[in-house]
Amino acid sequence: MDALEAMETCTAMRYFKEEPVPKAELEKLIYAATRASNPGNSQGWEFLIIDDPAIKEPVGEKVLAGMAPFFEARPEGRDGVEERMLVGAEHLAENFAKVPAWIVCMARKVYPPHDPQESFMHSTIYPAAQNLIVAARAMGIGTCFTTFPGNAEPEIRELCNVPDDLHLFVYVAVGYPEREFMAVKRKPLEDVITWNRY
Ligand SMILES: Cc1cc2nc3c(=O)[nH]c(=O)nc-3n(C[C@H](O)[C@H](O)[C@H](O)COP(=O)(O)O)c2cc1C
């Protein structure tokens, strides 16, 4: 599969088989992530891989408790795509501990060295996380970017002894897909391109 095809079919996967993803495959995803462009090649990223049920279970309980009011307030009558996304997100939160691995993409505030800025942490971590999910797709592994586990950040920090200077940005669910990958649905190019002048 070439890179473009992987991007075209890299749908957020919220349904996973329980089969573990081998350590070498998870490390390959981090290899892909760390090939990304980043500010001044400062590489202020780190990746916490959580596959231990003794961590996933208590974190999953906290995540679900935090998300319950959101899911209960879920409005009726949304269109098909949005409804599917919300149902999928709820499934993922309910099955947090059964997801084979969670990769927490983190960054340190290190760039530029003379005056480190928060915005450069975002510039560091998102290209890397995108590399990770596209590589996973090409390897037949499903992923879903999530931010909702952020409500369990204190528990994750404590259970995983995360150093204080690491900032947690995005939590990527990783596993073999239980559903088909599909083509992503995006705006047509004519809606997003301007040549030279508006
Ligand atoms: C920064 C970021 C945060 C996201 N957070 C969540 C999340 O908390 N839960 C979730 O189920 N999906 C999350 N997503 C996935 C998006 O909802 C998904 O990519 C979008 O709906 C488009 O769907 P597709 O990628 O399958 O085409 C997130 C995506 C990004 C980039």
Side-chain angles (χ1 to χ4, degrees):
M1 174 178 298
D2 69 18
L4 196 57
E5 188 184 348
M7 289 173 202
E8 284 166 344
T9 57
C10 191
T11 37
M13 185 60 63
R14 300 184 178 91
Y15 299 84
F16 297 102
K17 296 182 175 148
E18 286 186 47
E19 173 188 348
V21 178
K23 189 173 174 216
E25 296 286 272
L26 292 169
E27 286 178 350
K28 206 164 164 184
L29 298 182
I30 306 306
Y31 175 81
T34 53
R35 299 312 97 184
S37 182
N38 65 96
N41 210 19
S42 49
Q43 302 177 65
W45 46 42
E46 289 210 18
F47 301 87
L48 170 65
I49 304 177
I50 304 178
D51 66 353
D52 182 350
I55 300 172
K56 288 191 294 184
E57 279 165 15
V59 170
E61 280 170 24
K62 178 74 185 31
V63 166
L64 193 56
M67 290 302 290
F70 172 78
F71 293 132
E72 277 159 23
R74 181 151 54 90
E76 301 290 321
R78 302 272 181 135
D79 73 33
V81 174
E82 194 171 359
E83 181 64 14
R84 260 204 312 282
M85 187 191 81
L86 290 171
V87 169
E90 186 167 1
H91 172 87
L92 188 57
E94 279 172 355
N95 290 280
F96 187 96
K98 289 186 183 159
V99 173
W102 285 89
I103 299 181
V104 188
C105 301
M106 307 174 294
R108 284 199 167 85
K109 196 169 157 188
V110 292
Y111 191 84
H114 64 281
D115 181 22
Q117 302 290 320
E118 174 149 356
S119 60
F120 282 108
M121 290 196 286
H122 300 263
S123 326
T124 297
I125 213 61
Y126 282 106
Q130 181 68 20
N131 263 19
L132 188 159
I133 70 166
V134 173
R137 169 66 192 98
M139 290 158 64
I141 294 170
T143 58
C144 184
F145 265 83
T146 69
T147 46
F148 64 65
N151 67 28
E153 181 175 329
E155 285 74 12
I156 294 173
R157 283 191 176 279
E158 192 187 326
L159 289 165
C160 305
N161 301 324
V162 178
D164 288 344
D165 64 338
L166 275 170
H167 298 250
L168 283 54
F169 283 98
V170 66
Y171 306 77
V172 183
V174 181
Y176 292 108
E178 204 172 56
R179 301 215 169 160
E180 297 291 307
F181 291 109
M182 292 181 299
V184 298
K185 294 190 177 66
R186 299 293 188 258
K187 293 178 183 175
L189 286 190
E190 57 269 27
D191 285 10
V192 298
I193 297 180
T194 300
W195 286 89
N196 301 312
R197 296 176 187 82
Y198 275 92

